[in-house]
Amino acid sequence: MSTHNQQPAQALNWPLIIKLLISLHVGVGDFLLPLYVQALGGSPQVIGNLVGLGAAFGVLARLSLSWLADRGIIRLLLRISLVALASGFAIWSFAPSSTWLLPGQALLAMGRAGSTICLSLLIAQLTSPGQRGSGYGRLTMASSIATIIGSIIAGIGFIGWDLETRQQLQQFSWLNSIVSQLPNPIPRTALFHGLYSVFSSSVVLAGIFSLRSWPHTLAAKRGTIETPWRNVLGQPSIRNLLLAQSCISAAYSASIPMTVPLLTHRFGASVAAVAVAYIVPGIIYALFPARFGRVADRIGYRRAATLGLGVSMLVYLALPISPQLAITAILWACEALAWSCYVPALEALLAESVIPQQRGTALAIYGIAGALTATVAAPLGASLFSRWPAAPFLFSALCLGMAAMIAARTPPTNADYATIKQHN
């Protein structure tokens, strides 16, 4: 019996390794993109074009790949997605001008969307109803760990070889002896080419791992679903989860870009001080999702999602009135714990709300709902901040509270009852 249980657990490790290898760029991607465009001589309009192109191709990829994934070719689609991802980074690793970033961005968007759907489906197939919270928590944890590793790689690159960063470090006299021993700086374009070569190589390594066979995955039956979108959207639980995801996306899109401006406005904090305050939350994001996923397996996914979203709401209510940066860091840590609780719970609930042949479609709709909401909420948050700095955070608290109520009212599935019964 123990051998039978260990084999699926060992098979689950491969999607997690792949997730880690392809997520190294996540933590630094949004930060590096404007700098890379600037290094290549591109204008701010190019940055906007790249963001819009990525969003458009991401939606198109989710619409098409989810339909194919529901027809039982998940592993093939995963490998195709990894090829697109590696190719996109490869183009970026030698781009001589900002124009070359456009085809690379299209490939990256398709690769991200396809790999996200396929890995989520594999987690659903490789875990039983009573273990999916833990499985999705481990997937989230792999991405968070990769975010930290990728940020360290980029930090070493910029500290070691970027001339502008070197000049900023020389402002601190106690660092002069260390800075003088660093290698000779290189052009920033060459530095970016090196970083994206690392990201491309890590995806190639993930592609090699994807060639392994996972005998414990279950192939979806083909031809059984004629109108998956209508069937999926017709389920009350899916509609509730889409509304919850839209509220969550609106909350974060409106407030996260305004966090540094708020702290600068209230405390005069620098970006470096904000980064230091974010160390503990970053560790929580990397270590706790799997643990709270197991908690969700025990208490039920609706309860875990409602609890986590409720705590996040309280944190965002408190952020604008935090008296000092240290208190803000504690609030961020609490929000990181809440996020680690509700994210795997919602993903597990989504997987269990549909039959296996509809999971790809459900995941696609779920992702599209968040992306479309973000395009509206981000400029709204900036507009609210210009009127009252606390407004975006209060708006986020309202959205998270609505998401908590929606999660609490989501109809339970048979698997949800079985999960609670199994662990109690």
Side-chain angles (χ1 to χ4, degrees):
M1 176 67 75
S2 60
T3 303
H4 177 75
N5 292 333
Q6 289 174 357
Q7 289 176 339
Q10 293 173 353
L12 182 62
N13 290 333
W14 294 112
L16 299 176
I17 293 173
I18 292 171
K19 183 67 173 180
L20 189 148
L21 289 171
I22 68 176
S23 300
L24 294 178
H25 70 284
V26 172
V28 296
D30 292 339
F31 174 75
L32 291 180
L33 180 58
L35 299 178
Y36 192 22
V37 172
Q38 183 182 22
L40 293 175
S43 65
Q45 182 62 47
V46 175
I47 300 173
N49 292 342
L50 286 169
V51 174
L53 183 68
F57 271 85
V59 171
L60 291 174
R62 288 180 183 275
L63 291 173
S64 56
L65 295 180
S66 63
W67 185 87
L68 293 171
D70 283 337
R71 269 125 190 97
I73 53 174
I74 299 173
R75 281 169 286 182
L76 175 60
L77 287 175
L78 174 60
R79 290 160 190 164
I80 294 174
S81 299
L82 294 179
V83 170
L85 202 58
S87 301
F89 281 130
I91 292 175
W92 280 26
S93 67
F94 66 81
S97 68
S98 59
T99 304
W100 283 78
L101 300 182
L102 295 172
Q105 178 76 328
L107 288 169
L108 290 174
M110 292 187 290
R112 290 189 195 104
S115 60
T116 298
I117 290 174
C118 292
L119 290 173
S120 295
L121 290 175
L122 283 172
I123 293 296
Q125 289 189 356
L126 291 167
T127 53
S128 64
Q131 298 174 338
R132 288 198 177 118
S134 175
Y136 281 108
R138 292 175 67 186
L139 189 68
T140 302
M141 187 171 69
S143 179
S144 299
I145 292 174
T147 296
I148 294 176
I149 296 174
S151 300
I152 291 174
I153 292 173
I156 292 174
F158 274 84
I159 292 173
W161 287 277
D162 182 59
L163 178 60
E164 184 176 336
T165 305
R166 184 82 55 84
Q167 292 172 343
Q168 293 174 352
L169 292 175
Q170 288 175 341
Q171 297 176 3
F172 302 95
S173 57
W174 59 278
L175 286 176
N176 286 338
S177 59
I178 299 175
V179 172
S180 63
Q181 299 178 13
L182 294 175
N184 293 328
I186 61 176
R188 180 167 283 188
T189 302
L191 174 58
F192 277 112
H193 287 171
L195 287 175
Y196 286 113
S197 295
V198 172
F199 296 154
S200 181
S201 300
S202 69
V203 178
V204 171
L205 182 58
I208 295 173
F209 284 127
S210 74
L211 297 176
R212 295 181 59 93
S213 61
W214 296 313
H216 301 284
T217 57
L218 304 175
K221 297 180 180 179
R222 304 183 185 188
T224 56
I225 306 299
E226 297 180 356
T227 55
W229 289 85
R230 183 179 301 176
N231 290 342
V232 170
L233 290 173
Q235 301 180 45
S237 57
I238 294 297
R239 292 198 298 268
N240 277 26
L241 289 172
L242 293 180
L243 287 173
Q245 170 67 353
S246 296
C247 291
I248 294 168
S249 178
Y252 287 114
S253 300
S255 59
I256 288 179
M258 299 297 107
T259 298
V260 172
L262 175 73
L263 298 181
T264 302
H265 173 76
R266 284 184 57 84
F267 311 123
S270 64
V271 175
V274 174
V276 171
Y278 207 75
I279 290 176
V280 173
I283 295 173
I284 292 173
Y285 286 127
L287 298 180
F288 280 82
R291 292 174 171 81
F292 281 108
R294 288 193 291 269
V295 172
D297 288 333
R298 297 187 65 86
I299 68 175
Y301 304 130
R302 295 186 309 148
R303 294 178 183 174
T306 303
L307 176 62
L309 289 166
V311 172
S312 289
M313 178 196 69
L314 296 177
V315 169
Y316 273 87
L317 283 174
L319 278 175
I321 59 175
S322 174
Q324 52 185 301
L325 187 59
I327 301 298
T328 301
I330 294 174
L331 292 173
W332 273 345
C334 293
E335 205 281 330
L337 290 171
W339 183 90
S340 300
C341 182
Y342 75 74
V343 167
L346 287 175
E347 291 179 344
L349 186 57
L350 180 72
E352 295 189 347
S353 296
V354 293
I355 62 176
Q357 293 81 13
Q358 294 178 342
R359 282 180 183 145
T361 300
L363 284 167
I365 301 172
Y366 190 71
I368 291 171
L372 293 178
T373 307
T375 60
V376 177
L380 175 62
S383 176
L384 291 173
F385 185 85
S386 64
R387 291 171 172 80
W388 182 31
F393 300 88
L394 298 179
F395 171 78
S396 297
L398 174 63
C399 291
L400 291 168
M402 292 174 60
M405 290 188 291
I406 293 169
R409 295 177 61 86
T410 299
T413 63
N414 291 332
D416 202 30
Y417 286 127
T419 298
I420 299 174
K421 182 178 180 181
Q422 175 183 343
H423 290 284
N424 294 280

